[in-house]
């Protein structure tokens, strides 16, 4: 009797379900799963934003580890102790960065007087073009427009001063946070370089034994993609900076070295960074040298960017880190809106790691972890010990 009572509601439910169109059932099933994923991603984004002061330094430290760890590995292979190899690479990297910054600042200070002189001449040329060019503005109209601009600045001077005071107070707090973040970055980078293999071994122990090998391979290949990405980005940044810097020096644009350094730093944000840095170089050439020189600089920037996009990136990155340009732009803009410049800097590397790791996880024909090429293994790249994860 009880079994009949249980079968009757079950039969009614099946009849009710059968009355719902198949497409609606599939759509509803996909919808609640999609909403669940969106909720999980929202929580993840919230946590990353909440702990941004921790996530950003660790993320940048991981990027620097991907750049420096191969050097540590080679030194260890030459029988240099792990702690000594880490110290040599870290101190050498810091000295290199400080030396480059000092040279760039010195070049900027030395180039400011020349820039000021050329800016005055450039502004006079622009005024002459506005008066005698196609626009045919009268000197009175030009003076009127300049006067309006000056009045606008004067009317907003109180707001600017108030914001400056607030910025000073905020900067005092921001400097402390920046120093703390730098120390955390340095501390994390030391452990990534010296003990990265054991850190990865500890993390994989939290994965079920049945899936541990596959996750291990995915992690190794994800980090190998990060190493490839960072190496390729550095090479591309150097080529961009040298190419544009030489072009600026030949044309005679002032501050060629600082502008080349700006191009180098901006190249770490793919597509958008090079575009912004190139625009700044063209603008400086326009104001300091004139429209003909600015057009030449624009041609140089376009040529270098074409070399980067069609030759360097496909050749250096290859299939392991191949990302569609639309995905790159969307990730950069999303990271920029979520975390500013650090988000734009870290967005593409995160996408590259996830792309490689997920492809490894879903590939059923993946080889056994023991057969993976050692040059693609995370424990062969991170840390100098080369230990096998548990």
């Amino acid at each position: 009797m009880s079994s009949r009572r249980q079968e009757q509601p079950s039969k009614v439910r099946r009849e009710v379900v059968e009355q719902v169109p198949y497409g609606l059932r599939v759509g509803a099933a996909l919808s609640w799963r999609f909403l669940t994923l969106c909720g999980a991603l929202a929580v993840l984004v919230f946590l990353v934003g909440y702990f941004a002061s921790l996530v950003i330094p660790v993320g940048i430290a991981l990027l620097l580890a991907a750049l420096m760890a191969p050097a540590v590995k080679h030194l260890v292979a030459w029988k240099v102790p792990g702690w000594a190899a880490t110290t040599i690479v870290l101190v050498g990297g810091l000295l290199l960065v400080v030396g480059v910054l000092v040279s760039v600042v010195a070049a900027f200070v030395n180039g400011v007087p020349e820039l000021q002189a050329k800016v005055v001449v450039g502004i006079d040329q622009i005024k002459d073009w506005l008066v005698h060019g196609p626009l045919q503005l009268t000197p009175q109209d030009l003076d009127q427009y300049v006067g309006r601009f000056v009045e606008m600045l004067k009317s907003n001077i109180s707001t600017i001063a108030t914001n400056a005071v607030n910025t000073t107070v905020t900067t005092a707090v921001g400097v402390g946070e920046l120093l703390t973040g730098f120390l955390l970055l340095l501390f994390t980078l030391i452990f990534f370089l010296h003990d990265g293999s054991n850190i990865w071994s500890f993390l994989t122990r939290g994965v079920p034994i049945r899936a541990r090998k596959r996750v291990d391979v995915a992690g190794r290949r994800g980090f190998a993609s990060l190493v490839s990405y960072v190496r390729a980005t550095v090479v591309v940044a150097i080529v961009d900076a040298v190419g544009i810097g030489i072009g600026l020096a030949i044309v005679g644009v002032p501050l060629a070295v600082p502008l080349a350094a700006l191009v180098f730093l901006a190249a770490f944000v793919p597509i958008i960074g090079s575009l912004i840095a190139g625009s700044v170089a063209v603008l400086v050439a326009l104001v300091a040298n004139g429209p003909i020189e600015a057009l030449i600089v624009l041609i140089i920037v376009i040529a270098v960017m074409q070399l980067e996009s069609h030759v360097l990136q496909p050749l250096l990155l290859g299939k392991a880190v191949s990302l569609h340009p639309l995905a790159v732009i969307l990730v950069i803009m999303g990271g920029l809106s979520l975390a500013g410049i650090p988000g734009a800097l870290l967005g593409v590397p995160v996408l590259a790691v996830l792309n490689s790791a997920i492809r490894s996880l879903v590939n059923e024909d993946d080889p056994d972890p023991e057969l993976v090429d050692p040059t693609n293994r995370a424990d062969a790249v991170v840390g100098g010990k080369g230990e096998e994860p548990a």
Side-chain angles (χ1 to χ4, degrees):
M1 187 70 177
S2 59
S3 61
R4 290 182 178 178
R5 291 179 179 177
Q6 292 176 356
E7 291 177 358
Q8 187 173 2
S10 177
K11 183 178 179 181
V12 171
R13 284 195 297 269
R14 285 198 302 269
E15 291 177 353
V16 171
V17 170
E18 290 175 356
Q19 294 300 320
V20 179
Y22 176 76
L24 184 58
R25 278 183 281 163
V26 173
L30 292 175
S31 297
W32 72 258
R33 288 176 171 83
F34 176 74
L35 291 176
T36 303
L37 288 176
C38 290
L41 288 175
V43 172
L44 180 61
V45 170
F46 171 77
L47 291 176
V48 170
Y50 187 80
F51 294 103
S53 58
L54 175 65
V55 173
I56 292 176
V58 173
I60 297 176
L62 189 59
L63 284 179
L64 294 176
L67 179 63
M68 297 179 178
V72 175
K73 174 174 173 278
H74 288 307
L75 289 177
V76 171
W78 295 340
K79 307 303 180 182
V80 178
W83 64 268
T86 301
T87 303
I88 292 172
V89 173
L90 193 60
V91 173
L94 289 175
L95 290 178
L96 179 62
V97 171
V98 171
V100 171
L101 289 177
V102 170
S103 62
V104 169
V105 171
F108 178 79
V109 172
N110 295 330
V112 165
E114 180 186 0
L115 178 63
Q116 290 177 341
K118 288 193 173 184
V119 165
V120 173
V121 176
I123 291 177
D124 291 338
Q125 291 178 350
I126 293 174
K127 288 182 178 179
D128 184 71
W129 181 82
L130 292 174
V131 173
H132 300 94
L135 297 179
Q136 294 293 321
L137 295 178
T138 63
Q140 293 78 12
D141 293 335
L142 190 60
D143 293 337
Q144 183 180 2
Y145 292 142
V146 173
R148 289 180 181 177
F149 180 73
V150 173
E151 289 297 329
M152 182 184 66
L153 290 180
K154 289 181 179 179
S155 63
N156 294 327
I157 192 66
S158 59
T159 305
I160 295 173
T162 303
N163 292 337
V165 173
N166 296 333
T167 303
T168 303
V169 176
T170 305
T171 303
V173 179
V175 168
E177 294 180 354
L178 184 63
L179 181 60
T180 303
F182 176 75
L183 293 177
L184 176 61
L185 186 155
L186 189 62
F187 189 73
T188 307
L189 178 60
I190 292 173
F191 279 99
F192 279 169
L193 292 175
H194 182 260
D195 206 26
S197 58
N198 290 332
I199 293 174
W200 177 245
S201 299
F202 175 78
L203 293 176
T204 55
R205 288 171 188 164
V207 180
I209 296 177
R210 185 178 63 180
R212 186 174 298 174
K213 287 186 177 181
R214 184 167 294 278
V215 171
D216 188 21
V217 173
R220 294 172 182 174
R221 290 184 171 167
F223 189 82
S225 297
L226 183 62
V227 172
S228 300
Y229 171 82
V230 174
R231 285 177 176 175
T233 302
V234 170
V235 174
V236 169
I238 292 174
V239 172
D240 287 354
V242 171
I244 294 178
I246 292 175
L248 294 176
I250 293 175
V251 175
V253 178
L255 303 179
V257 174
L259 288 174
L262 177 63
V263 171
F264 175 81
L265 295 175
F268 285 89
V269 180
I271 301 176
I272 297 178
S274 299
L275 179 62
I276 294 175
S279 301
V280 173
V282 173
L283 181 61
V284 172
L286 176 63
V287 175
N289 295 77
I292 302 299
E293 288 79 1
L295 180 60
I296 296 174
V297 172
L298 178 61
I299 295 173
I300 294 173
V301 170
I302 293 176
V304 172
M305 291 181 64
Q306 291 297 315
L307 175 67
E308 170 192 340
S309 59
H310 294 289
V311 178
L312 294 178
Q313 287 188 352
L315 181 63
L316 295 174
L317 291 179
K319 295 182 179 180
V321 199
S322 59
L323 300 173
H324 197 278
L326 178 60
V328 172
I329 293 177
L330 292 178
V331 168
I332 291 174
M333 298 308 296
L336 191 64
S337 62
L338 289 175
I341 296 178
L345 176 65
L346 297 175
V348 178
V350 169
L351 180 62
V353 172
L354 291 177
N355 178 45
S356 180
I358 291 174
R359 284 195 302 166
S360 179
L361 285 174
V362 300
N363 186 7
E364 297 295 337
D365 298 328
D366 235 3
D368 187 83
E370 299 295 334
L371 302 179
V372 176
D373 185 358
T375 58
N376 289 335
R377 288 172 49 181
D379 61 350
V381 177
V382 182
K385 298 181 180 180
E387 299 174 0
E388 187 69 26

